Amino acid sequence: MQFTQSTVGRKILMAVTGLILISFICVHLLGNSSVYWGADGINAYAKHLHDLGPLVWIFRLFMLAVFGLHILFGIQLTLENRAATPGNYAVKRLVRANFASETMIVSGLVLLAFVVYHILHFTMHLTNPEISASHLPVDALSRPDVFTMVVLSFQKFLISLIYVAAMVFLFLHVSHGFQSFIQTFGFNNGPSLHILEKVSKGFALVLLFGYISIPILIIFGIVKI
Amino acid sequence: MNLTLYVWRQKGPKDLGKLEQYEAPNVSPDQSFLEMLDDVNEVLIKTGKDPIAFDHDCREGICGMCSTVVNGRPHGGQDRTTVCQLHMRTFKDGDSIYIEPWKAKAFPIVKDLVVDRSALDAIQNAGGYTSCHTGGVPDANAVMISQPAAEYAMDAAECIGCGACVAGCPNSSAMLFTGNKVAQLAALPQGRPEAKARVKAMTEALKECGFGNCTNHYECQAACPKGIDVKFIAKLNREYIKSLLP
């Protein structure tokens, strides 16, 4: 049987693509945190990325492929799992699974919708054209003015709310996914599992607080133009 | 004590099946769960009704035949206990008890609480063995096995093949069962030569039998009456990764 059809093969594919996606969101968070250095931070960071030219597109296509595989196999495995399970028990008590592990497909699909919205919003400037229209695309040093765009966006309560809510789903998805890929790669000798699960939750919390700090500090006016 | 039972009744594999209510009067706290069902069946037989069919054999918690979900937990949810060793002292007078069979597409219901678990045999037959010459008794200690390896293999071999891991799994996956077999043989020198072919064949059989995929809920470990650790699934994953390498 092909690796891509095997039950364990696809588990490993989910783990590898998941690990790449987690690495990406870590780097993305580090990049985003340059917003705390003001326009000089995040605009300079944006200019560096723009200057990479075709490399940016190679990276984007790579991430698209990884994201696509993770989603496709995730949906396929979920459908198979539903098909393997006939009618529900009249009474069912789960003791080891948790809300995050049971709702991976839901949190995953919400994150997919969020990523589409996020790209339409910040990369393509399509969802709130009035924000882009209200300021110059570049700052005084002719760097892309990401700082103004981000601050004006998150000053809108609804946009901030969407971002914070999406990050709660990211927390759920990563809190199960992080320890899950470690188990899938076989790095669990039994006693290590409880530690791994705690580390996984802690890591997901760091991501949650890291990401939501930006809209929250902007909406409370602590970070402003 | 007096109990109310809601038992899954299904005449045959094609019947739809439903929960039916029974009264279990004068249950002794010293009875085992299956003895309580025996008493209920006695009454059913005496009144000319069809007794509740359930699997059982040793009633000592070692054969793996009993297979009943009690109040939503395989084997009733008492730590490291098969349902035959679950005693009525864990219930209170007036309790309602829901009794259902293992539910998984790979385990078709034969009747009432009896399911066909041959799918586990199919996984075992796919590679859960070592190919070796039989005949003369080999010399003792001809193949040296370290104490930790022997203990590890014995921990995996504790599996009694009851299928509670499948019944407890939200995905109806038999990955813990398969992991035990793969890990047990991979830990021993006799099992090493066929390790690569074994892990591939057994995980393929798992899929072909219609079991779901493992998504690391670890519900199997909680359901296992022998408390078998999901570290054996991690071992299966390592063995699978090794099988891909040249």
Side-chain angles (χ1 to χ4, degrees):
Chain A
M1 196 181 285
Q2 287 288 315
F3 179 72
T4 50
Q5 283 162 18
S6 153
T7 176
V8 191
R10 286 177 297 168
K11 196 184 198 186
I12 292 166
L13 273 173
M14 287 303 282
V16 171
T17 50
L19 177 59
I20 296 169
L21 291 169
I22 284 179
S23 311
F24 172 76
I25 52 177
C26 288
V27 174
H28 191 40
L29 176 59
L30 286 175
N32 288 2
S33 60
S34 63
V35 77
Y36 293 128
W37 278 264
D40 283 335
I42 197 156
N43 290 0
Y45 174 62
K47 186 167 182 345
H48 277 300
L49 287 183
H50 276 250
D51 289 347
L52 292 173
L55 281 178
V56 173
W57 274 102
I58 292 169
F59 183 71
R60 280 174 173 171
L61 289 174
F62 171 72
M63 287 312 297
L64 184 68
V66 168
F67 198 50
L69 283 174
H70 194 76
I71 294 162
L72 286 178
F73 281 116
I75 292 172
Q76 189 193 42
L77 291 165
T78 306
L79 291 177
E80 282 182 19
N81 293 346
R82 299 236 162 121
T85 313
N88 284 330
Y89 291 98
V91 181
K92 179 77 181 162
R93 274 192 298 138
L94 296 176
V95 292
R96 193 65 174 75
N98 54 47
F99 183 72
S101 76
E102 286 174 70
T103 53
M104 285 303 271
I105 188 70
V106 178
S107 54
L109 290 175
V110 168
L111 287 171
L112 167 63
F114 169 73
V115 168
V116 171
Y117 166 73
H118 185 51
I119 290 171
L120 290 174
H121 174 205
F122 276 141
T123 313
M124 298 169 79
H125 312 288
L126 288 174
T127 53
N128 291 81
E130 76 281 1
I131 293 174
S132 316
S134 68
H135 68 95
L136 291 170
V138 291
D139 63 8
L141 296 169
S142 64
R143 300 173 301 203
D145 196 358
V146 175
F147 183 73
T148 308
M149 177 178 70
V150 167
V151 174
L152 289 180
S153 290
F154 284 145
Q155 278 173 350
K156 289 184 189 290
F157 181 73
L158 187 65
I159 293 180
S160 280
L161 187 70
I162 291 171
Y163 273 81
V164 170
M167 290 308 104
V168 174
F169 284 97
L170 179 74
F171 162 75
L172 288 172
H173 206 74
V174 172
S175 70
H176 177 70
F178 187 88
Q179 57 83 29
S180 199
F181 81 69
I182 296 173
Q183 159 81 359
T184 298
F185 290 143
F187 299 116
N188 164 29
N189 66 359
S192 59
L193 191 62
H194 284 287
I195 304 164
L196 281 178
E197 286 180 294
K198 286 201 179 80
V199 169
S200 185
K201 275 210 185 74
F203 174 75
L205 266 182
V206 169
L207 285 180
L208 173 68
F209 288 123
Y211 272 111
I212 68 171
S213 67
I214 299 169
I216 287 177
L217 290 179
I218 288 173
I219 209 128
F220 284 105
I222 296 163
V223 174
K224 55 184 182 235
I225 298 166
Chain B
M1 58 182 137
N2 298 308
L3 303 165
T4 305
L5 311 181
Y6 296 89
V7 186
W8 186 263
R9 299 306 305 265
Q10 184 170 337
K11 290 196 173 75
K14 294 201 173 115
D15 186 32
L16 276 178
K18 61 178 192 306
L19 285 173
E20 282 184 21
Q21 186 181 338
Y22 298 92
E23 298 304 324
N26 305 320
V27 175
S28 157
D30 298 328
Q31 279 185 309
S32 76
F33 196 84
L34 299 188
E35 284 166 343
M36 181 274 294
L37 282 181
D38 289 339
D39 281 356
V40 172
N41 275 344
E42 287 285 339
V43 175
L44 288 176
I45 292 165
K46 276 179 189 158
T47 52
K49 290 182 185 144
D50 198 18
I52 301 159
F54 60 88
D55 261 329
H56 63 103
D57 191 11
C58 75
R59 300 206 178 193
E60 301 184 306
I62 53 172
C63 79
M65 263 321 269
C66 57
S67 47
T68 300
V69 172
V70 179
N71 287 340
R73 298 292 305 142
H75 292 297
Q78 186 172 302
D79 194 32
R80 298 185 187 222
T81 308
T82 54
V83 74
C84 65
Q85 283 295 302
L86 182 70
H87 284 78
M88 298 315 292
R89 64 183 81 98
T90 55
F91 297 92
K92 293 191 305 291
D93 184 41
D95 274 0
S96 293
I97 307 177
Y98 287 83
I99 308 170
E100 298 176 77
W102 285 177
K103 281 191 180 173
K105 277 277 160 65
F107 290 163
I109 295 178
V110 178
K111 190 181 181 198
D112 298 340
L113 305 173
V114 178
V115 299
D116 179 358
R117 285 168 284 180
S118 342
L120 294 182
D121 296 336
I123 295 176
Q124 184 73 354
N125 290 344
Y129 51 80
T130 59
S131 308
C132 53
H133 295 291
T134 55
V137 179
D139 287 341
N141 298 331
V143 181
M144 302 295 269
I145 299 168
S146 70
Q147 179 68 8
E151 291 290 347
Y152 182 90
M154 274 305 289
D155 286 348
E158 245 194 300
C159 171
I160 54 176
C162 65
C165 45
V166 179
C169 176
N171 309 332
S172 298
S173 179
M175 198 60 88
L176 186 61
F177 173 84
T178 314
N180 291 335
K181 311 302 170 197
V182 166
Q184 177 201 334
L185 294 169
L188 300 173
Q190 293 91 336
R192 282 312 318 168
E194 291 166 296
K196 283 188 179 186
R198 176 181 306 114
V199 69
K200 279 186 174 157
M202 291 185 83
T203 50
E204 270 177 37
L206 179 144
K207 193 187 171 200
E208 278 158 14
C209 288
F211 290 105
N213 304 290
C214 171
T215 58
N216 301 332
H217 287 293
Y218 313 131
E219 203 60 49
C220 48
Q221 181 176 333
C224 179
K226 298 293 151 185
I228 293 176
D229 201 296
V230 292
K231 71 179 180 187
F232 295 117
I233 298 180
K235 172 75 170 167
L236 176 144
N237 296 338
R238 290 202 295 278
E239 288 297 324
Y240 185 85
I241 293 166
K242 273 194 225 169
S243 79
L244 300 173
L245 307 173

